[in-house]
Amino acid sequence: MATIRNIRVIQTAPAGANLTVVCVETDEPGLYGWGCATFTQRYLAVGAAIELHLKPLLLGRDAARIEDLWQLMMVNGYWRNGPVLNNAIAGIDIALWDIKARQANMPLYQLLGGKCREAAAVYRHADGHELREIEDSARQFMSQGVRHLRVQYGGYGGSRADQRHPDGAVPGNYYDPRAYTRSALKALGHIRSVLGDELEILHDVHERLSPARAVEFAKECEPLRLFFLEDPLAPEDLSWLENIRQVCSTPLAMGELFNHPREWLPVITRRHIDFMRMHVTQMGGLTPARKVAALGELHGVRTAWHGPGDVSPVGHALNVHLDVATPNFGIQEFSGFNDALKNVFPGCPEYRDGYLYPHDKPGLGIEVDETLAAKFPCNSKVIDWTQTRLPDGTLHRP
Ligand code: MG
C-alpha cells in the first residue's frame, strides 16, 4: 500500500497566466503524481486551501482510494463546493490518478477504458479587431491543419463602439451589447463567406447578453451553421435555454462556470445543450468529470473540455487522456504551448495537424521542472478585465 507522504503546491506563470500544479508524493520511493489546480484569478486562495486544509487531512492515507478521498475532501469542511475548494481538490485528485496509472505502468487513458480514437481534434482562437486581422489569423491556423476555429471580433464583448457614459462613470472594461452582437455577426458571416463551408466555426458569447437578446442572437447565428455557440446565457439564466431551443437549431455549449457535478443534471437530461464546456478542475478533477461525461453519453451530449491558457499543461494532458477515451468526445479547446511552457512542463501533449496526442508513458506522461518553474513567478495584481461595465456604468458579467 502506498500512503500519501507529502503534498506540495507549485505556482508558476511561464506564459503569463498564473498556474497551480500539485505534487502528491507517496512513501514508495519514486512514486508520485501531478495534478492541475489552476484558478488563475484566485491562485493564492487555492494554494492555501491545499497546504493548510487538505494536506493535513490526507497525510498518511492510502493513495489508492481516490473515490473515497474525493468524497472526504468535498465534505470535510462541512460547507462544500465552490471554485477555490474544487480546484484544490482537483489538484490532488488528478495527481492520485497519475499515481494510479504510474503504478499500473499504463498511460492514464488505458485506465479509463482505452482509446476510442488516436487523438483529440482541437479548436483554436481566431481573434482580431479588424475583419482582415481575424481572417489572417484564421488562415494561419488553417495552414497548420486546424479545421475548427473560434471566431471573436475584439475579444469578448465585441468591438468598442462609441459609447456615452454618465458624468463621473467609474473606470472599467466597458462594452455595448448591441454593438457586440452586430460586430460578432459581421465577423462570423465574413469568415463563413471567405473561408467556405468546410471550416467549423465556433463563437463564445461569454454570458454577455441579457436572456431575450441571447435568444435573438442564437437565432441570428442559425444561417451561419456554427459548430457551437458557447455560453449564450449565464448559469443564473439557465431556464431561458428552452426558449433558445424552441426558436433555432444553433448547437449550444455551456458549463465552464459550473461548480458542482450536479449542476449538469438539468441541462443534460433535458437536452438543452449539445456540448459540455466543463473546466475539469473547477468541477473537482477527473473523478467527477468522468461521471458527468458518462451522463452526457447517455443523453447524446458531447464533451468540449475548457482548454484556454489558464489551464496548466498538466490539466491539458488530463483533458487529452479523457478525450481519447470518451466515446462522446466532441472537440478540445487548445491554446497552444509556448517554449517556456514546454520547458517547464516536459511531456506536454503533442499537437500535429489539428490534433492533440496524449503520451504513452505511464500516468499523464507529463513532469514539472520545478527549478525552471521558479523562474516564472506568478503575479497577484488586481484583475481589470473582469471589471466589465455597460455603457451607463452598470457592472456586468465579464
Ligand atoms: Mg468560454
Side-chain angles (χ1 to χ4, degrees), residues 197-218:
D197 288 330
E198 296 301 311
L199 179 68
E200 294 285 6
I201 301 175
L202 303 77
H203 180 72
D204 190 353
V205 176
H206 225 253
E207 317 164 42
R208 290 286 182 114
L209 298 174
S210 62
R213 194 160 285 172
V215 178
E216 179 191 68
F217 183 64

Side-chain angles (χ1 to χ4, degrees), residues 150 156 204 206 230-231 256 277 306:
R150 192 189 79 168
Y156 306 126
D204 190 353
H206 225 253
E230 177 177 353
D231 284 344
E256 73 185 48
R277 285 285 291 146
H306 201 223

Side-chain angles (χ1 to χ4, degrees), residues 63-240:
R65 298 189 170 213
I66 302 176
E67 183 68 43
D68 183 66
L69 294 183
W70 190 90
Q71 304 288 344
L72 177 67
M73 288 189 280
M74 186 55 91
V75 300
N76 183 254
Y78 180 60
W79 275 283
R80 48 194 179 258
N81 196 34
V84 172
L85 178 64
N86 291 6
N87 270 287
I89 292 174
I92 293 167
D93 176 76
I94 296 165
L96 291 173
W97 279 99
D98 190 22
I99 289 171
K100 196 178 277 296
R102 287 174 192 237
Q103 278 180 307
N105 201 28
M106 290 177 183
L108 179 63
Y109 63 76
Q110 294 290 13
L111 263 59
L112 302 176
K115 282 183 181 173
C116 298
R117 58 192 66 75
E118 293 305 311
V122 302
Y123 75 85
R124 303 294 304 261
H125 298 179
D127 203 347
H129 292 274
E130 303 292 338
L131 293 181
R132 185 74 221 183
E133 197 185 342
I134 303 170
E135 186 186 328
D136 288 348
S137 163
R139 288 188 191 278
Q140 171 88 17
F141 280 125
M142 288 170 80
S143 74
Q144 298 162 9
V146 177
R147 289 166 291 278
H148 301 75
L149 283 173
R150 192 189 79 168
V151 172
Q152 305 288 134
Y153 196 139
Y156 306 126
S159 65
R160 284 187 71 96
D162 281 346
Q163 294 177 21
R164 301 252 161 103
H165 310 308
D167 292 343
V170 298
N173 182 10
Y174 279 80
Y175 103 105
D176 179 337
R178 190 53 89 187
Y180 156 57
T181 53
R182 257 200 323 266
S183 59
L185 286 168
K186 203 162 127 191
L188 293 166
H190 176 76
I191 293 298
R192 176 59 81 211
S193 73
V194 296
L195 298 180
D197 288 330
E198 296 301 311
L199 179 68
E200 294 285 6
I201 301 175
L202 303 77
H203 180 72
D204 190 353
V205 176
H206 225 253
E207 317 164 42
R208 290 286 182 114
L209 298 174
S210 62
R213 194 160 285 172
V215 178
E216 179 191 68
F217 183 64
K219 212 164 102 179
E220 288 171 327
C221 286
E222 191 176 35
L224 297 164
R225 301 175 306 284
L226 298 186
F227 186 78
F228 66 57
L229 182 67
E230 177 177 353
D231 284 344
L233 297 163
E236 297 86 340
D237 295 323
L238 281 183
S239 52
W240 285 78

Side-chain angles (χ1 to χ4, degrees), residues 10 12-15 19 21 34 312-314 336-349 359 361 365-376:
I10 290 96
T12 179
L19 306 175
V21 290
W34 291 106
S312 77
V314 176
F337 301 124
N338 67 8
D339 287 342
L341 278 170
K342 286 184 195 164
N343 293 334
V344 172
F345 296 94
C348 284
H359 283 289
K361 285 175 246 163
I366 193 162
E367 296 290 342
V368 181
D369 182 333
E370 295 184 50
T371 314
L372 201 52
K375 293 187 178 152
F376 300 97

Side-chain angles (χ1 to χ4, degrees), residues 345-361:
F345 296 94
C348 284
E350 272 173 37
Y351 173 80
R352 290 197 301 278
D353 200 26
Y355 290 100
L356 264 183
Y357 291 79
H359 283 289
D360 286 327
K361 285 175 246 163

Side-chain angles (χ1 to χ4, degrees), residues 371-391:
T371 314
L372 201 52
K375 293 187 178 152
F376 300 97
C378 292
N379 186 333
S380 61
K381 73 176 185 344
V382 170
I383 296 144
D384 292 326
W385 75 268
T386 51
Q387 301 188 35
T388 309
R389 292 186 184 275
L390 297 173

